[in-house]
Amino acid sequence: MSESSRHDAWQAGESYDLYMGRWSRRVAPHFLDWLSPQADARWLDVGCGTGALSEAIVRRCRPRSVVAVDRSPGFLARARENVPDARVSFEVGDAQSLPVPTASVDIAVSGLMLNFVPDRLAALASLRRAARAGGLVAFYVWDYPGGSVEFMRKFWSAATGLDPAARSLNEDVRFPFCTQPALLELARQSGLGAVESVALEADTVFADFDDYWRPFTLGAGPAPGYCANLEPAARERLREALFNSLPRSEDGSIPLRVRAWGVRGVSA
């Protein structure tokens, strides 16, 4: 196991919600508004995590059905709690080989997952296979290379200042392809037609420093995995560096922002 993958701990759904799920819930509605999907569609949500995108689909899109797939049983357990809707079914499965019939859905989507898949073209091919001819295939990932997940960028900047070896775990190093041009090209290479992209932006305002810091101590995700594995003294130095470097509003809140790239195309 590589040093970087060792920190990709994706099991504890509640911890992930505190770290990333709550911000994914801010971006998912913008993604769906951009897709402007028809009602009564059959949906597939790949890498559903704790259910942020599936929940938004149910609330905004009047789906006929949603099949939500993830590799993590822990995440799926949390997703079932978050999305208690009879139209949604949850399946354990790999994005590169989905457990769904060919041409069985109208819309196949993925949120904040594709960068973690070893074979991204295989994953997109699997989404295309699941979608009917002329169906919509779409995904979004964070703009890591642009530094636009500001709460992560602040964390890794402080961590690298104390531990230069942490640089190799930074998402902008690990996922340099998460740029708009590269994602558009990836979608075209996968065989999708009429490919388009859009920026999806949202505020991530933390109530106070504890609201910012605590999710990093819980181990769910690359940065929290790194933080949770530090020796106590090193973790305290990192906490202090972040406390002194983050922006503050007058009420003590920490105002930051995120941006993701949304990409969509049509299945042949």
Side-chain angles (χ1 to χ4, degrees):
M1 180 178 292
S2 70
E3 180 68 11
S4 59
S5 65
R6 183 173 68 84
H7 293 292
D8 288 345
W10 303 112
Q11 292 297 327
E14 185 175 0
S15 296
Y16 174 81
D17 267 350
L18 288 171
Y19 173 57
M20 183 61 75
R22 57 177 168 166
W23 309 125
S24 180
R25 286 175 172 79
R26 297 284 182 89
V27 174
H30 299 309
F31 176 66
L32 296 175
D33 288 348
W34 176 58
L35 295 185
S36 189
Q38 75 271 23
D40 200 39
R42 300 165 300 168
W43 288 74
L44 171 66
D45 177 10
V46 179
C48 68
T50 57
L53 183 52
S54 291
E55 182 179 24
I57 292 167
V58 166
R59 289 186 175 182
R60 303 174 75 89
C61 302
R62 293 180 292 165
R64 182 190 309 179
S65 62
V66 181
V67 178
V69 178
D70 201 277
R71 292 187 64 181
S72 168
F75 278 15
L76 288 174
R78 180 69 173 180
R80 289 186 182 96
E81 295 175 0
N82 289 336
V83 194
D85 191 290
R87 292 169 293 178
V88 185
S89 61
F90 297 93
E91 302 284 346
V92 175
D94 190 319
Q96 299 161 115
S97 181
L98 292 168
V100 297
T102 298
S104 60
V105 301
D106 303 299
I107 305 172
V109 294
S110 174
L112 308 179
M113 179 279 298
L114 191 62
N115 52 291
F116 292 105
V117 177
D119 190 337
R120 294 180 285 276
L121 283 175
L124 289 176
S126 198
L127 266 72
R128 283 184 56 219
R129 179 190 63 78
R132 62 170 173 79
L136 184 63
V137 176
F139 62 90
Y140 58 98
V141 296
W142 294 126
D143 176 19
Y144 294 118
S148 296
V149 187
E150 291 186 344
F151 71 90
M152 284 187 188
R153 178 164 55 86
K154 297 288 188 182
F155 175 91
W156 287 120
S157 177
T160 302
L162 296 168
D163 173 18
R167 175 66 179 155
S168 65
L169 301 173
N170 194 324
E171 284 87 351
D172 67 354
V173 173
R174 296 175 57 201
F175 308 126
F177 74 94
C178 290
T179 66
Q180 192 173 37
L183 293 168
L184 283 166
E185 181 58 25
L186 180 67
R188 295 187 184 105
Q189 288 178 8
S190 76
L192 292 174
V195 173
E196 302 176 84
S197 179
V198 72
L200 307 166
E201 299 184 334
D203 292 324
T204 58
V205 179
F206 297 85
D208 51 29
F209 181 75
D210 184 66
D211 188 35
Y212 175 90
W213 171 249
R214 183 170 176 267
F216 285 108
T217 68
L218 300 178
Y226 170 82
C227 183
N229 280 283
L230 289 173
E231 294 295 327
R235 190 180 308 120
E236 178 58 25
R237 288 192 293 271
L238 177 56
R239 191 200 69 81
E240 183 176 354
L242 280 164
F243 184 86
N244 292 328
S245 65
L246 290 168
R248 302 292 205 289
S249 297
E250 289 186 4
D251 63 358
S253 64
I254 298 171
L256 299 169
R257 287 184 61 79
V258 289
R259 179 174 66 215
W261 296 119
V263 179
R264 66 184 180 191
V266 177
S267 179

